[in-house]
Amino acid sequence: MNITGATRVLALIGSPVSHSLSPQIHNRFSDSLGLNYAYLAFDITHDGLKRFTEAARLMGIAGFNVTMPLKERIIPYLDAVSDAAGLCGAVNTVVNKAGTLIGHNTDGDGFARSLEREGFVFNGKKALVLGAGGAARAVALALAKRGMSVRMASRSPDKEVVAEGAEYCNWSDTGSEAEGCPLLVNATPLGMHGVNEDFADLSFLDALPSDSIIYDLIYSPRETALLKAAKGRGLRAINGVPHLVCQAALSFELFTGHTPSERVVSDLLTDTDIF
Ligand code: NAP
């Protein structure tokens, strides 16, 4: 990276962010394409959100990613949101178009793209998504859009249907809902580094077909207790790294208009220095 007077700034905001891998990923994308962007992480909480959006306009920050706990709270400070972000009520990518801030959500399509890379065929199959937060809704909508029949297991399922093909079910019904599902996604923080809670009961894994994919959106640790138990049962286990890289590639494209090559995405996914 060669920082000059013409370097454009990209950023991640949220709290905490010091552990984030997004700077390495985005700066690698920029370098690989010979572009002049620098991606930094800023620890911003809800209190600083309004001031950050004003600063982003003032300083001409080209775009920024939004992570926990701001994905929903950022929306009132934006000028517009995309259909995907509006439907799932969460924004992970903001593009600054000459002072107009537009919110997008690349979590769903990034997740689906990472599964496509594994050769997964979506149409007509069942999926069970654990959780009903921003990431869960984005993933559920993307899977439903691709023809899957999706249930989102929630502790508070008294919410409306999310969209055609995606609806809530009770957390306590996870075992019966898992039956016949070739795809189970953990979109809760259970098992994440720094979170003092994990799954109390993993018996729902026994209800899954033997060729199922267990996809945990968590990437720290790389192998959660859920993934370890899935592997122990001979199921296919995927951690949150492919999702992280694929949603970042879509965000980078929105920020810059340039698509990271397949080669740089593959290199990142196998980079043991980062992952
Ligand atoms: P969020 O909006 O806070 O949603 C979390 C969801 O988990 C909520 O539905 C919450 O239910 C549920 N939950 C929390 N604790 C639970 C428990 N003990 N039992 C049952 N459900 C519980 O968070 P998010 O932004 O969607 O993120 C969810 C996870 O995905 C996080 O681990 C995050 O790191 C990961 N993620 C990874 C990537 C990636 O690139 N790999 C991208 C985005 C997110 P309630 O509403 O009932 O509290």
Side-chain angles (χ1 to χ4, degrees), residues 147-161:
M148 292 194 87
S149 161
V150 189
R151 291 277 195 282
M152 299 165 66
S154 167
R155 295 186 291 193
S156 42
D158 51 334
K159 300 168 183 167
E160 306 146 27
V161 170

Side-chain angles (χ1 to χ4, degrees), residues 147-207:
M148 292 194 87
S149 161
V150 189
R151 291 277 195 282
M152 299 165 66
S154 167
R155 295 186 291 193
S156 42
D158 51 334
K159 300 168 183 167
E160 306 146 27
V161 170
V162 199
E164 198 176 336
E167 55 189 48
Y168 295 101
C169 65
N170 277 308
W171 183 260
S172 55
D173 293 338
T174 306
S176 54
E177 292 290 349
E179 273 171 38
C181 276
L183 177 65
L184 181 138
V185 185
N186 177 33
T188 76
L190 290 172
M192 187 163 79
H193 181 75
V195 171
N196 290 327
E197 248 190 309
D198 210 329
F199 287 92
D201 177 13
L202 288 172
S203 59
F204 58 83
L205 290 174
D206 297 325

Side-chain angles (χ1 to χ4, degrees), residues 35 45 82 93 133 155 157 248 256:
L35 301 175
T45 58
S82 69
T93 303
R155 295 186 291 193
T256 67

Side-chain angles (χ1 to χ4, degrees), residues 21-58:
L21 299 170
S22 293
Q24 280 115 300
I25 296 171
H26 282 269
N27 288 321
R28 184 83 74 85
F29 289 156
S30 180
D31 288 349
S32 71
L33 288 158
L35 301 175
N36 194 0
Y37 288 90
Y39 187 107
L40 301 168
F42 297 118
D43 198 304
I44 304 284
T45 58
H46 186 222
D47 291 345
L49 200 45
K50 183 168 185 285
R51 278 177 291 147
F52 176 82
T53 51
E54 286 163 1
R57 289 183 177 95
L58 182 70

Side-chain angles (χ1 to χ4, degrees), residues 68 71-72 107 130-136 154-156 159 171 186-190 192 197 217-219 240-241 243-244 247:
M68 288 196 296
K71 284 184 176 182
E72 293 165 25
D107 271 331
L130 307 182
S154 167
R155 295 186 291 193
S156 42
K159 300 168 183 167
W171 183 260
N186 177 33
T188 76
L190 290 172
M192 187 163 79
E197 248 190 309
L217 297 192
I218 292 169
Y219 56 83
V241 168
H243 174 214
L244 178 71
Q247 61 81 26

